[in-house]
Amino acid sequence: EDKVVQSPLSLVVHEGDTVTLNCSYEVTNFRSLLWYKQEKKAPTFLFMLTSSGIEKKSGRLSSILDKKELSSILNITATQTGDSAIYLCAVPNSGGSNYKLTFGKGTLLTVNP
Amino acid sequence: ETGVTQTPRHLVMGMTNKKSLKCEQHLGHNAMYWYKQSAKKPLELMFVYNFKEQTENNSVPSRFSPECPNSSHLFLHLHTLQPEDSALYLCASSQEWGYEQYFGPGTRLTVT
């Protein structure tokens, strides 16, 4: 069975701190790994990673995939209160016609002023 | 209108009712999805349409039935639901399967 595990499940930091969120996966026929941010509404897309070792960056957020370790990290530098959200990791699997997308439980990040 | 839209945004229905959720995407995508999000559980993928072809998902009860009349519209027909089906139902679309998905705002469903 496909599995996506995120850690930590929750994290409380102060503004200005740097955080690292982890995602590990076990899926058949890996295609990509997706990171999302979910506040009090639907998830919004952050990154899609397909190649190992290539960092994707968007402002203070960056992410990298390690296919050997079957994992990915999401870094947020100089955190702000607006970064408070649930960060979701998801891995799609296209096993023939059997489409599956497995989400982790998410990391709840709280950034205090 | 751009992005992914869903209607209604809130729905309260009795267990004997029949209702439908609607999703529309204006992004020119070829894949559309229905998700269920319950409190304290990961997002659950319910159905996928990729180039209008549905993937069977045996773990979804038959009281939920999807319909994808064209690549821009997706419906979720609901009948004889149970209180445990109360959740946020999210629609998403992507260029094709496996690519980044863009979510609609969701329908908050309460089954009484």
Side-chain angles (χ1 to χ4, degrees):
Chain A
E1 187 180 322
D2 295 343
K3 202 160 55 168
V4 176
V5 178
Q6 292 187 245
S7 63
L9 288 181
S10 67
L11 189 54
V12 180
V13 300
H14 291 289
E15 266 191 319
D17 289 350
T18 292
V19 298
T20 298
L21 310 183
N22 300 283
C23 175
S24 63
Y25 60 89
E26 291 176 30
V27 298
T28 51
N29 300 313
F30 176 85
R31 283 178 62 122
S32 59
L33 185 144
L34 309 168
W35 282 99
Y36 290 89
K37 177 183 181 183
Q38 185 172 25
E39 299 168 88
K40 290 183 182 176
K41 49 188 180 189
T44 52
F45 171 74
L46 294 175
F47 299 111
M48 180 173 80
L49 304 163
T50 54
S51 301
S52 209
I54 298 178
E55 186 182 52
K56 292 223 172 169
K57 264 184 95 78
S58 176
R60 295 175 294 102
L61 277 67
S62 64
S63 184
I64 196 161
L65 177 68
D66 186 338
K67 280 187 182 176
K68 206 170 162 186
E69 297 295 324
L70 305 182
S71 65
S72 174
I73 58 170
L74 175 67
N75 279 319
I76 309 176
T77 58
T79 52
Q80 301 171 357
T81 54
D83 295 327
S84 297
I86 297 173
Y87 289 85
L88 298 166
C89 172
V91 182
N93 151 37
S94 60
S97 62
N98 182 25
Y99 301 103
K100 280 185 67 178
L101 179 66
T102 306
F103 274 86
K105 290 185 177 178
T107 294
L108 174 61
L109 174 66
T110 304
V111 181
N112 290 323
Chain B
E1 200 170 350
T2 58
V4 181
T5 58
Q6 288 185 244
T7 55
R9 296 292 304 276
H10 299 271
L11 178 62
V12 179
M13 60 187 286
M15 289 191 282
T16 57
N17 290 158
K18 287 185 181 182
K19 296 284 183 185
S20 295
L21 310 185
K22 180 182 174 184
C23 175
E24 189 171 352
Q25 58 97 0
H26 307 271
L27 301 167
H29 287 166
N30 295 304
M32 295 186 78
Y33 313 79
W34 280 116
Y35 287 89
K36 177 182 179 183
Q37 189 169 38
S38 307
K40 303 195 179 181
K41 289 176 76 173
L43 270 169
E44 300 170 61
L45 180 63
M46 300 175 72
F47 299 105
V48 178
Y49 278 84
N50 198 35
F51 291 92
K52 296 192 292 180
E53 178 190 330
Q54 187 199 341
T55 301
E56 292 298 323
N57 189 328
N58 295 327
S59 64
V60 181
S62 60
R63 56 187 184 268
F64 296 92
S65 73
E67 180 191 358
C68 186
N70 55 62
S71 58
S72 299
H73 294 86
L74 186 64
F75 295 90
L76 186 64
H77 303 299
L78 317 170
H79 64 97
T80 56
L81 294 192
Q82 306 296 310
E84 60 264 28
D85 296 323
S86 298
L88 180 68
Y89 288 84
L90 291 162
C91 173
S93 71
S94 65
Q95 184 58 43
E96 59 179 88
W97 171 252
Y99 287 77
E100 64 270 25
Q101 297 176 14
Y102 296 86
F103 284 81
T107 294
R108 174 68 63 187
L109 174 68
T110 304
V111 181
T112 60

